[in-house]
Amino acid sequence: MESAAARPRPVLTAGSVLPEDADRAALVARVHHPECDGPCVAAVRGEHVVDLTAVVPTVSDLLERDDAAALVREADGGHTWRLDELLGAPAGSHDVPHLLAPIDLQVIKAAGVTFARSLLERVIEERTGGDPAQAARVRARVRQVVGGALDGIRPGSPEADKAKELLVAEGLWSQYLEVGIGPDPEVFTKAPVMSAVGTGADIGVLGASVWNNPEPEVVLVVDSRGRVRGATLGNDVNLRDIEGRSALLLSRAKDNNASCAIGPFIRLLDDGFDLDTVRELDIDLRVDGMDGYVLHGSSSMREISRDILDLVTATHGPHHQYPDGFALFTGTLFTPTEDRQAPGAGFTHEYGDVVRISSPRLGALVNTVVPSEQATPWTFGVRALMRNLARRGVL
């Protein structure tokens, strides 16, 4: 990657980040407010954002309430900001109000290998040992053998078992195929509580990585009882070279400073936006490089291999509870393979790339790629939040 240097920031406006039907949506935001030196739970109402922290001190508390959507739409609030003001704030500045990731105490979980197309790319990473120069050759071999054998297969079904037998016979069985078409999904902890960044912030890629890409995903926001209360967008940055060397390096590849972006807002479920709506969402990706490079991509939740509620059940239940709720990345269909830097090397980020992940019903999550080592340090954790809220008298 090129070194991080002074670069223009993406220009964000209310019109560019709000859902297309924002006037009918119950949208939850979090705002850093310099006057209280901490975060505020907020409702997005038109082009204004209203502080609700005096009513609910955390987003986790809000989502435990059955009347969450009504509260977001109607409750009296405190300070009000213009959304354009929040979006225009410099990245990483603590001196001006700005948007944060819209979750707080929720554990950040992720489901992997939930789409057949990206499943094959995980196999390719493994087979190349994380070497992008080998990707084209291995990709051709895998596609020659697998073809459409995985299309429409329900994980854990007899058809999946037959596909497994075929791949074993060809010497192509993989741990990624096990979680992709086997009975149990991959669910892992993506990032620590409170570490996610929001729209407009820098997103971090580990400096040692030379083969990586964004992972645009729908993120479910789930309460302590395992109920899906809303959805948002996420970028589960993928370091293909590091994870490709060994799946045991997943934490090294996934959990780095600013490597998890969530936002722009949580859209709460209601009569006009339910789980079936989430199952039909389309997600668009655009990457704009400082050199004029542009990458487009799109995916659809209709192509996911496992139902979203199956992923929730695999995460929460008698085997595991989350008293503060959790946010669950549902996986990505999109893994860019077109060459950017050299023939056969595929796609990888350059510092300064602007990544825009959007969906008409959820809005747009926009971040700028920097080295994780140069992203704004993460210093405000759970202890700081509790002390801040106590000092403000809202606990």
Side-chain angles (χ1 to χ4, degrees):
M1 290 187 183
E2 296 177 358
S3 64
R7 57 194 179 276
R9 308 296 308 180
V11 177
L12 304 181
T13 65
S16 69
V17 303
L18 283 168
E20 63 181 14
D21 58 343
D23 58 322
R24 299 192 297 275
L27 299 174
V28 180
R30 283 174 69 244
V31 176
H32 171 76
H33 191 15
E35 291 183 14
C36 59
D37 194 28
C40 297
V41 180
V44 182
R45 298 172 181 170
E47 295 191 0
H48 292 87
V49 180
V50 180
D51 181 9
L52 299 180
T53 313
V55 183
V56 280
T58 68
V59 175
S60 176
D61 286 305
L62 170 65
L63 298 188
E64 293 297 315
R65 297 182 55 150
D66 292 335
D67 63 344
L71 189 155
V72 167
R73 288 189 172 98
E74 302 166 6
D76 293 335
H79 194 95
T80 298
W81 302 270
R82 291 179 57 251
L83 180 54
D84 281 340
E85 170 195 358
L86 300 176
L87 293 168
S93 172
H94 290 279
D95 300 329
V96 294
H98 59 270
L99 289 176
L100 303 168
I103 62 169
D104 42 41
L105 296 178
Q106 292 87 352
V107 176
I108 304 173
K109 307 292 287 188
V113 202
T114 55
F115 290 83
R117 192 188 310 166
S118 63
L119 183 161
L120 294 180
E121 286 299 315
R122 299 290 86 77
V123 175
I124 291 161
E125 289 167 16
E126 182 182 50
R127 292 281 160 172
T128 63
D131 180 2
Q134 303 298 318
R137 175 184 59 80
V138 175
R139 185 175 293 114
R141 165 65 176 156
V142 170
R143 289 179 176 171
Q144 177 186 15
V145 173
V146 177
L150 302 181
D151 293 348
I153 282 185
R154 182 170 56 85
S157 67
E159 293 77 15
D161 290 340
K162 291 179 181 178
K164 177 177 180 178
E165 291 175 5
L166 166 67
L167 294 165
V168 169
E170 293 289 341
L172 284 176
W173 185 247
S174 160
Q175 57 199 335
Y176 293 104
L177 287 162
E178 176 62 42
V179 297
I181 65 176
D184 299 313
E186 177 191 23
V187 180
F188 59 93
T189 300
K190 160 63 183 175
V193 172
M194 302 264 309
S195 68
V197 300
T199 202
D202 290 335
I203 191 165
V205 170
L206 198 65
S209 175
V210 297
W211 188 22
N212 48 70
N213 60 255
E215 288 197 344
E217 305 189 24
V218 170
V219 180
L220 306 177
V221 187
V222 187
D223 69 10
S224 65
R225 288 174 275 180
R227 302 180 301 172
V228 179
R229 304 306 311 277
T232 185
L233 296 167
N235 187 351
D236 177 19
V237 177
N238 182 26
L239 307 187
R240 304 189 67 181
D241 48 354
I242 292 176
E243 186 179 350
R245 283 162 45 203
S246 170
L248 297 181
L249 291 172
L250 181 66
S251 181
R252 172 75 168 163
K254 290 292 189 181
D255 184 6
N256 298 291
N257 191 31
S259 65
C260 176
I262 297 177
F265 319 110
I266 298 170
R267 181 164 186 168
L268 298 181
L269 300 187
D270 55 22
D271 291 342
F273 184 79
D274 58 14
L275 285 175
D276 284 337
T277 310
V278 176
R279 291 183 176 102
E280 297 289 320
L281 289 174
D282 294 319
I283 302 101
D284 292 316
L285 171 70
R286 179 181 171 115
V287 177
D288 286 276
M290 295 178 63
D291 57 356
Y293 174 87
V294 179
L295 173 72
H296 292 281
S298 62
S299 62
S300 173
M301 290 294 287
R302 290 183 291 274
E303 297 186 48
I304 197 167
S305 301
R306 301 180 191 266
D307 186 72
I308 54 176
L309 288 185
D310 291 337
L311 299 177
V312 172
T313 300
T315 308
H316 174 278
H319 64 292
H320 207 320
Q321 297 78 46
Y322 296 85
D324 300 307
F326 59 98
L328 178 62
F329 282 74
T330 56
T332 187
L333 173 64
F334 186 73
T335 305
T337 58
E338 67 178 61
D339 294 335
R340 180 176 189 179
Q341 296 175 336
F347 172 87
T348 198
H349 272 305
E350 296 281 357
Y351 297 137
D353 281 352
V354 175
V355 182
R356 185 179 192 273
I357 298 169
S358 61
S359 184
R361 306 297 296 277
L362 294 176
L365 172 65
V366 184
N367 303 99
T368 303
V369 175
V370 301
S372 286
E373 296 85 346
Q374 295 181 26
T376 302
W378 173 42
T379 59
F380 196 93
V382 176
R383 286 188 305 155
L385 176 64
M386 294 300 104
R387 291 169 178 163
N388 181 272
L389 295 176
R391 186 172 65 247
R392 291 153 62 183
V394 294
L395 286 183

